Amino acid sequence: MSHNCIFCKIIKGEIPCTKIYEDPEVLAFMDIGPVVKGHTLVIPKAHHNPLMDTPPEILQKLITVVQTIARAQKKGLEADGVNVSQANGAAAGQVVPHIHFHVIPRFTTDGFHGNWIPKKYDSLGEMQDYADRIRKALD
Ligand code: 5GP
Ligand code: ZN
């Protein structure tokens, strides 16, 4: 754990989040600033950063959960596609220095062209509704 890390605080329950999936090593939860609604983050419960210094066995667990979430977004949200993105270092656009994968559901009409503009949910209820639909479609 890293004391000033936002994602470590989420794991410890000190900052609330809308969970999608959890196991002993990995947590998936809704991004509060979705580039497309349904945008989910997948993180290890142990603090690692960046990708280059993360143990391969942790990466294997993360990418397996990324696949599970991507499948659930396709099924539960009826997404037309899914983007997976991961940044390392401020120069790459990383803001939170705890390794994470962005899993972003894509719709033919979503207007996202790689321009990283965080959106807002209309309400907490709307975010929870997206989360429910993804969660119910988990394998
Ligand atoms: P990065 O730019 O580091 O790749 O992405 C960090 C992501 O974390 C951003 O998409 C941002 O919206 C999200 N984020 C930052 N703080 C919080 C938070 O407190 N809760 C949640 N759920 N997401 C957060
Ligand atoms: Zn951390």
Side-chain angles (χ1 to χ4, degrees):
M1 293 292 154
S2 176
H3 288 306
N4 288 321
C5 173
I6 292 174
F7 287 175
C8 283
K9 286 181 180 170
I10 286 176
I11 290 156
K12 282 190 271 180
E14 293 173 8
I15 294 175
C17 75
T18 301
K19 285 182 193 175
I20 300 290
Y21 169 90
E22 183 173 20
D23 69 29
E25 274 122 356
V26 180
L27 176 68
F29 59 101
M30 300 301 275
D31 192 307
I32 41 160
V35 292
V36 177
K37 288 178 180 178
H39 182 164
T40 303
L41 298 173
V42 176
I43 68 173
K45 288 188 173 175
H47 182 91
H48 291 287
N49 198 62
L51 173 78
M52 296 75 94
D53 296 332
T54 300
E57 57 272 22
I58 301 279
L59 292 174
Q60 284 169 8
K61 285 176 177 145
L62 290 171
I63 204 69
T64 300
V65 175
V66 165
Q67 182 188 47
T68 300
I69 299 297
R71 284 178 173 155
Q73 288 180 344
K74 281 270 298 176
K75 190 173 159 196
L77 302 180
E78 297 180 52
D80 301 308
V82 176
N83 279 128
V84 175
S85 164
Q86 197 276 319
N88 300 283
Q94 186 180 21
V95 175
V96 180
H98 177 133
I99 187 172
H100 52 279
F101 286 84
H102 298 264
V103 189
I104 304 166
R106 298 301 312 278
F107 305 89
T108 49
T109 55
D110 64 30
F112 177 53
H113 303 295
N115 43 332
W116 201 272
I117 301 169
K119 310 262 182 347
K120 284 196 170 105
Y121 287 97
D122 299 338
S123 63
L124 181 62
E126 187 192 30
M127 181 166 74
Q128 286 168 342
D129 178 58
Y130 272 83
D132 284 345
R133 287 161 63 199
I134 299 170
R135 220 182 281 116
K136 281 181 188 149
L138 289 170
D139 290 338

